[in-house]
Amino acid sequence: MSATESSRAFRVFSWFSLVCTLGVVLWGAYVRATGSGAGCGDHWPVCNGQVVPREPSVQTLIEYTHRLTSGLVMVFAVVLCVWALRAHAKGHPVRRAAVFSLVFMLTEAAVGAGLVLFKMVAHNESIARAFWMATHLLNTFLLVGAQALTAWWAGGRERLVWRRQGLTGWLLAGSVVGLLVLGVSGAIAALGDTLFPATSLTEGLSQDVSPTAHILLRLRVLHPVLAVLVGAGVVFSAVMVARLRPSPAVRRSAWLLGVLYGLQLFAGMFNVVLLAPVWLQLVHLLLADLVWIVFMRLGAAGLALGAPRADVKPRAVLSPT
């Protein structure tokens, strides 16, 4: 039996919260791409020692706007969590997903504060900053995934189960790891583009292969390679899951995942050719987030309790003798 469908107001608010979070994530990428992370100095949560900055620079406005919108989605996460717990019975999958959404929103704020307080922003070229960016990316994916599942299960879908899922479970687990690794490599590549911008495609390629180049530049070349390899694995896994769990929701998600990943590859290719303009970096990141959201939907539908299974033969019914 499917879980009880949430109220229409809750469903709308859960999707609204997810969309707002995506907007804040993209604005955060804009902060990084424009070098505005130090716009409020090394002060947090205040900005340059002030609650409301006076005579702010453009960089300060960009960073301060990001902080304000981050605080707003934090409030949305609290409201969503409290609403989910009060409006749904124990055991409803929405409750756990909403709680995780709030937990990852809090850790997202903590990582963002750490970036500022430890000065891992602006023109910091240290390896430590790369680790902070990787952590930030991983937490963002977990946050977006939890919010996406909250909205998904609010529609009355069945909870997922990991046990006894056979090949389907392994395919999905492997794809999760692949997408997270790819996301980390993308965050490092984007950081390299920001810190070491190239004036031509030839210069950019020579930076990537130079033995004397900064480690962030030498790591940057891994991202397009991983994008192709991981993409092939994820799309193959999606096709296989659609065959093993042939429900309409799984098939639609697998098809949409393939389309979005193709668009993301094209965006990544043009990002390299056009020397990573800020607007295209944001498009590329948005497509990455959409791929992740659709993959969450694919996994939730494929592992759902009661999902049709083509890999399990129905038991024969014995006729009475």
Side-chain angles (χ1 to χ4, degrees):
M1 176 181 288
S2 299
T4 304
E5 186 177 42
S6 305
S7 67
R8 184 176 184 276
F10 183 88
R11 298 198 308 272
V12 171
F13 185 72
S14 62
W15 283 110
F16 174 75
S17 298
L18 175 58
V19 170
C20 289
T21 297
L22 289 177
V24 173
V25 169
L26 293 178
W27 192 254
Y30 184 74
V31 171
R32 186 263 311 153
T34 57
S36 303
C40 287
D42 57 355
H43 300 87
W44 192 94
V46 295
C47 184
N48 291 322
Q50 301 170 334
V51 176
V52 179
R54 300 173 184 175
E55 300 181 356
S57 65
V58 174
Q59 289 186 329
T60 300
L61 285 174
I62 292 173
E63 167 64 8
Y64 190 66
T65 301
H66 181 55
R67 293 191 184 187
L68 290 178
T69 52
S70 297
L72 185 61
V73 294
M74 174 72 76
V75 173
F76 291 165
V78 172
V79 172
L80 188 69
C81 182
V82 173
W83 194 350
L85 293 175
R86 292 178 63 88
H88 301 83
K90 290 184 178 180
H92 198 292
V94 160
R95 291 168 59 96
R96 181 174 296 181
V99 169
F100 275 115
S101 296
L102 178 56
V103 170
F104 291 131
M105 186 67 77
L106 292 171
T107 52
E108 186 84 343
V111 173
L115 286 169
V116 173
L117 295 175
F118 292 104
K119 301 180 181 180
M120 299 293 169
V121 293
H123 303 292
N124 186 315
E125 301 175 2
S126 65
I127 295 299
R129 185 181 180 185
F131 281 106
W132 275 90
M133 294 299 294
T135 302
H136 202 11
L137 183 283
L138 291 174
N139 193 87
T140 298
F141 266 29
L142 294 175
L143 168 60
V144 171
Q147 289 191 325
L149 290 176
T150 302
W152 172 257
W153 282 319
R157 279 90 178 189
E158 297 181 49
R159 64 180 179 87
L160 63 81
V161 290
W162 279 104
R163 298 182 62 183
R164 299 180 180 178
Q165 292 288 355
L167 180 60
T168 298
W170 287 107
L171 289 171
L172 292 172
S175 296
V176 167
V177 174
L179 288 173
L180 292 178
V181 171
L182 178 61
V184 168
S185 70
I188 294 175
L191 180 59
D193 290 334
T194 299
L195 295 174
F196 309 100
T199 58
S200 67
L201 180 59
T202 302
E203 180 187 353
L205 294 176
S206 63
Q207 287 177 335
D208 292 343
V209 298
S210 173
T212 59
H214 193 280
I215 183 64
L216 292 178
L217 288 175
R218 284 181 283 156
L219 289 175
R220 185 170 62 180
V221 72
L222 293 176
H223 183 60
V225 176
L226 285 174
V228 174
L229 295 178
V230 171
V234 169
V235 172
F236 171 78
S237 297
V239 172
M240 288 298 298
V241 172
R243 292 180 179 179
L244 295 169
R245 301 290 186 273
S247 70
V250 171
R251 289 173 174 171
R252 285 194 299 268
S253 297
W255 178 83
L256 184 57
L257 183 65
V259 171
L260 286 172
Y261 202 93
L263 291 174
Q264 186 187 16
L265 282 179
F266 276 110
M269 179 181 66
F270 285 118
N271 195 47
V272 172
V273 173
L274 299 179
L275 304 179
V278 173
W279 69 269
L280 192 49
Q281 290 185 51
L282 299 184
V283 170
H284 192 38
L285 176 60
L286 176 60
L287 287 171
D289 288 330
L290 293 178
V291 165
W292 178 251
I293 290 171
V294 172
F295 179 78
M296 289 292 102
R297 169 177 168 168
L298 173 71
L303 299 176
L305 182 67
R309 300 185 58 163
D311 56 343
V312 176
K313 296 181 180 180
R315 294 180 179 180
V317 178
L318 299 177
S319 58
T321 55

